[in-house]
Amino acid sequence: MEMTGAQLLVRLLEAQGVDTIAGIPGGAALPLYDALASAGTIRHVLARHEQGAGFIAQGIARASGKAAVCMSSSGPGATNLVTAIADAKLDSIPLVCITGQVPLPMIGTDAFQEVDTYGLSIPVTKHNYLVRDAEALPQVIDDAFRIAQSGRPGPVWVDIPKDVQLQRIRVGALPAPSSLDTPPEVDGEALLRAAQMINSAERPILYLGGGVIASGASHLAVTLAEQAGLPTTMTLMALGAMPIDHPLSVGMLGMHGARYTNYVLQESDLLICVGARFDDRAIGKASEFCPDAKIIHIDIDASEIHKIRFAHVGIQGDVAAVLERLLPHVQVQLRKKWLSRVSGLRAAHPLQMPALDDPRSHYGLVSAVAACLDDDAIITTDVGQHQMWVAQAYPFRRPRQWLTSGGLGTMGFGLPAAIGAALAEPKRKVVCFSGDGSLQMNIQEMATAADEGVDVKIILMNNQSLGLVHQQQDMFYGKRIFAADYKRQTDFVRIAEGFGLAAVDLDRSAHPRALLAEAISSKGPTLIHCSIDVNQKVFPMVPPGAANIEMIGG
Amino acid sequence: MGESTSADLQAQKKAVLELAVRNHPGVMTHVCGLFARRAFNVEGILCMPVGDGGESRIWLLVHDDERLSQMTLQAEKLEDVLSVRRHGADHAVFERLEAFFQ
């Protein structure tokens, strides 16, 4: 049957099981939008800025584990998407990004809204395409979804010129989508050496990264920890892989990890790194991280093994498959001596959370919000002090409960990601912790939240400042606070109401805890505002470039 | 890298990489961009289609330092790179070209 490239694209997206697309139309994408409208099969969520659309798609992908789609027009539409796509690349999130492009004969002429989308997208994607013929679309779209979700996931960008969208072609029956690439064979000999190292170690540590979440291997990682008696630390990306109140959890490591966590790591003689990549925020000065430890590194991406630290045993493979094969070779151990040393360090250097009982303090607010929710809720954050306070204080207990921008550290992530999560998981309560700096980077998506009526609660921790910049200037730049504090107070409650959200202000309430609980339990998008003292810090803190045991505060 | 003098560069050990790639517009940018992005110097580049033109071969003259194996692994991850082979700096491909650069 005959159809246009745009109509074919919609058919291909349907076949991939896509039910929601976030995007913004524009000149070069109008045939795509017309095809979406005629088909009526895919829900389109109209964002207010393309970066918001990219992060809405990320929220869908992070909550569901499946590739999600964002769409925009050419030129500024494409450039506005770049940040959200780069964010997905650094956190290994599967996305398919589709943009319109000027017609093929106009490419290279500096046409209206022309930009080299293909060239721009190379460094921020896993792979990218410029589709020059509608006949290529079935293969390109099939490859795009396969590549985005196979191996180490990532974003794939498909740029489609307007004349290719309008090109009429004859299409037969569409083939079923390809299955994902088979993960590499696990090296059985390396597996046995790893098991032997775990069995003979005296002070081993399990170090979990985002790959454990991506691979759906959380339960296997917890089983390994329990079987071998392994104190377990998680990166920012892995929070939720092991319940934070599990007796073997030693919490998050790194720049804002608890003192005892970094001390425990310092004493370890074996580090079992699973789906993590020795990021500088997690390990501090690389040469001084776990100085006495041998390293086992399990990762789907061969280029991560030995990249930052030499691995005594490196195993390339899907984390779940490797752990499944490793478990039968790992002895049951109680490890009383090491675990009692870990308990001692924990008791001596616990995470300090001052004013935890005050729901209008930084840690207290995080704790009060957690008290209103169960483990089904999804928590997103923006980037900055509030993000670290939530990472430290929120009781994460399941994978995909926690969605945050880790690698790129993008302010503006939280609200659109929360909208995406709520679209993917409409039965779950979604709470976005944000700061006044971050929220203003994608505040326009409040309108999208109101349009869609999503059950998203924004907890705004407002210190009228770029808090983490303020903190670093205070601590490391001679207290010269510059370009960090905002001069004027912004009335966020009125702004939220203007966008059509419900809004409450804990500052003005005689019963903030009750008001918070009521606002969270209500349905629909809501802003919950609370002022936070600008002088509160995220502690402990490892100064940038220092070793993890050189912590300040906490 | 910017700090090295040309004499330093001459003295460093070299290697030749041979990449089999899918031949389409953009594959050169993918390969060269990868090395540039990761601040890894490429001294020489050759690229020509092979066979029926469905594939190309890219030859790269690079420094053989401790990061080369990481760069090789990164190059292997590119979707359009089919294989990467590593040769010594004495491989004939760049030596025979020297006459054109006198």
Side-chain angles (χ1 to χ4, degrees):
Chain A
M1 100 193 237
E2 200 180 82
M3 61 178 81
T4 65
Q7 288 167 331
L8 173 58
L9 176 77
V10 173
R11 293 269 305 272
L12 292 165
L13 294 176
E14 288 166 7
Q16 291 287 344
V18 174
D19 55 18
T20 306
I21 291 176
I24 301 183
L30 282 174
L32 294 178
Y33 273 80
D34 195 38
L36 278 173
S38 325
T41 46
I42 296 176
R43 176 181 188 178
H44 182 270
V45 175
L46 178 60
R48 297 308 195 265
H49 185 288
E50 287 84 355
Q51 189 187 112
F55 283 134
I56 290 170
Q58 275 221 38
I60 297 173
R62 288 182 191 241
S64 70
K66 296 197 199 90
V69 180
C70 54
M71 192 177 270
S72 83
S73 190
S74 63
T79 55
N80 281 346
L81 274 169
V82 168
T83 299
I85 304 305
D87 188 278
K89 176 80 185 320
L90 278 191
D91 284 349
S92 305
I93 305 301
L95 283 191
V96 174
C97 168
I98 297 169
T99 46
Q101 179 58 280
V102 302
L104 282 171
M106 294 178 79
I107 287 183
T109 67
D110 303 315
F112 178 65
Q113 295 194 330
E114 180 189 0
V115 75
D116 177 13
T117 302
Y118 184 87
L120 276 176
S121 56
I122 289 174
V124 297
T125 54
K126 190 172 173 190
H127 196 49
N128 61 345
Y129 296 92
L130 169 59
V131 182
R132 290 162 193 277
D133 185 341
E135 304 275 1
L137 277 169
Q139 188 68 53
V140 166
I141 297 301
D142 191 61
D143 285 345
F145 279 85
R146 177 182 54 78
I147 292 166
Q149 301 178 100
S150 293
R152 180 179 184 170
V156 178
W157 197 315
V158 183
D159 195 33
I160 312 178
K162 192 173 184 181
D163 52 341
V164 175
Q165 299 170 33
L166 292 168
Q167 184 187 342
R168 295 199 73 85
I169 55 166
R170 290 200 65 77
V171 179
L174 296 179
S178 298
S179 47
L180 302 187
D181 295 343
T182 314
E185 273 295 305
V186 177
D187 176 352
E189 192 264 335
L191 203 73
L192 291 179
R193 272 190 296 140
Q196 194 273 326
M197 283 166 78
I198 296 169
N199 294 339
S200 61
E202 288 184 3
R203 300 180 306 280
I205 289 277
L206 185 57
Y207 156 39
L208 305 179
V212 175
I213 310 284
S215 172
S218 301
H219 61 294
L220 293 164
V222 173
T223 306
L224 173 64
E226 289 169 348
Q227 195 165 314
L230 305 172
T232 301
T233 187
M234 287 165 276
T235 67
L236 184 73
M237 290 300 294
L239 292 178
M242 172 184 270
I244 204 67
D245 45 5
H246 190 288
L248 287 166
S249 168
V250 295
M252 180 177 75
L253 78 164
M255 182 175 268
H256 297 297
R259 278 188 174 265
Y260 83 90
T261 312
N262 287 332
Y263 290 145
V264 165
L265 280 151
Q266 188 73 8
E267 293 188 9
S268 71
D269 68 349
L270 176 68
L271 187 68
I272 307 147
C273 171
V274 184
R277 60 181 176 89
F278 293 87
D279 174 74
D280 53 276
R281 286 296 188 268
I283 72 163
K285 192 172 182 181
S287 57
E288 292 174 30
F289 177 64
C290 299
D292 303 324
K294 292 209 159 134
I295 292 174
I296 297 169
H297 194 170
I298 302 169
D299 204 288
I300 188 73
D301 182 350
S303 71
E304 288 300 345
I305 299 167
H306 310 306
K307 185 181 84 175
I308 304 288
R309 283 288 297 269
F310 171 76
H312 300 82
V313 174
I315 304 175
Q316 189 199 1
D318 173 60
V319 162
V322 175
L323 291 182
E324 220 158 60
R325 287 198 44 196
L326 181 64
L327 281 169
H329 304 288
V330 172
Q331 291 164 7
V332 174
Q333 297 206 33
L334 297 178
R335 277 195 222 280
K336 280 191 182 159
K337 196 171 154 205
W338 175 225
L339 290 179
S340 102
R341 173 65 184 157
V342 170
S343 300
L345 285 168
R346 187 200 307 257
H349 310 282
L351 185 68
Q352 306 282 341
M353 292 189 279
L356 198 59
D357 294 336
D358 175 2
R360 285 186 289 214
S361 77
H362 49 312
Y363 288 118
L365 180 54
V366 176
S367 167
V369 170
C372 298
L373 297 166
D374 58 24
D375 294 347
D376 287 340
I378 292 173
I379 309 299
T380 78
T381 70
D382 266 301
V383 170
Q385 285 186 314
H386 72 273
Q387 177 191 30
M388 291 300 118
W389 288 325
V390 177
Q392 291 175 330
Y394 197 94
F396 294 106
R397 295 197 184 91
R398 67 169 181 89
R400 302 197 186 279
Q401 184 183 8
W402 158 249
L403 317 181
T404 201
S405 167
L408 196 66
T410 313
M411 296 168 68
F413 171 92
L415 171 57
I419 295 169
L423 291 166
E425 301 277 342
K427 295 208 174 103
R428 294 184 192 272
K429 188 73 73 180
V430 181
V431 173
C432 164
F433 284 92
S434 189
D436 53 313
S438 283
L439 187 61
Q440 291 182 86
M441 293 217 180
N442 270 322
I443 198 164
Q444 75 288 343
E445 300 310 325
M446 281 185 178
T448 313
D451 272 358
E452 301 296 327
V454 285
D455 196 9
V456 167
K457 309 298 169 191
I458 305 164
I459 311 288
L460 175 54
M461 302 174 85
N462 182 3
N463 58 7
Q464 211 178 318
S465 174
L466 295 162
L468 213 42
V469 173
H470 183 108
Q471 170 168 345
Q472 293 215 33
Q473 290 177 336
D474 194 10
M475 291 171 66
F476 306 124
Y477 291 84
K479 300 189 183 299
R480 293 181 297 278
I481 309 300
F482 181 73
D485 293 347
Y486 298 115
K487 292 174 188 145
R488 280 194 76 254
Q489 266 192 24
T490 300
D491 189 341
F492 287 99
V493 168
R494 277 178 70 192
I495 286 181
E497 286 170 348
F499 275 119
L501 272 64
V504 300
D505 192 349
L506 301 189
D507 293 357
R508 292 155 195 263
S509 171
H511 305 286
R513 215 175 269 279
L515 181 62
L516 178 67
E518 190 191 316
I520 288 178
S521 66
S522 70
K523 278 271 176 196
T526 305
L527 177 84
I528 298 163
H529 176 270
C530 185
S531 293
I532 296 292
D533 175 3
V534 72
N535 291 310
Q536 293 299 340
K537 305 268 189 296
V538 184
F539 284 136
M541 176 168 195
V542 178
N548 268 358
I549 52 164
E550 297 169 39
M551 289 163 279
I552 299 171
Chain B
M1 289 257 156
E3 297 297 308
S4 350
T5 65
S6 60
D8 287 339
L9 289 173
Q10 292 289 323
Q12 282 176 21
K13 213 175 144 210
K14 306 265 175 62
V16 170
L17 298 182
E18 177 189 358
L19 281 68
V21 300
R22 286 196 194 98
N23 180 22
H24 70 82
V27 68
M28 279 281 284
T29 321
H30 271 271
V31 171
C32 296
L34 173 71
F35 283 79
R37 203 156 60 238
R38 294 189 179 257
F40 198 91
N41 261 0
V42 176
E43 292 264 297
I45 306 167
L46 276 173
C47 178
M48 291 286 278
V50 291
D52 64 0
E55 284 183 23
S56 289
R57 193 165 298 150
I58 300 178
W59 295 90
L60 300 174
L61 181 63
V62 296
H63 292 288
D64 188 0
D65 67 24
E66 73 284 352
R67 294 188 305 140
L68 183 57
S69 51
Q70 166 66 201
M71 287 311 303
T72 308
L73 287 167
Q74 293 290 350
E76 283 172 347
K77 274 167 49 175
L78 294 177
E79 199 60 31
D80 291 324
V81 171
L82 305 169
S83 68
V84 182
R85 284 177 64 192
R86 186 164 160 176
H87 305 277
D90 54 352
H91 193 279
V93 64
F94 284 103
E95 287 198 345
R96 288 195 202 166
L97 274 176
E98 276 177 17
F100 295 95
F101 290 86
Q102 297 294 324

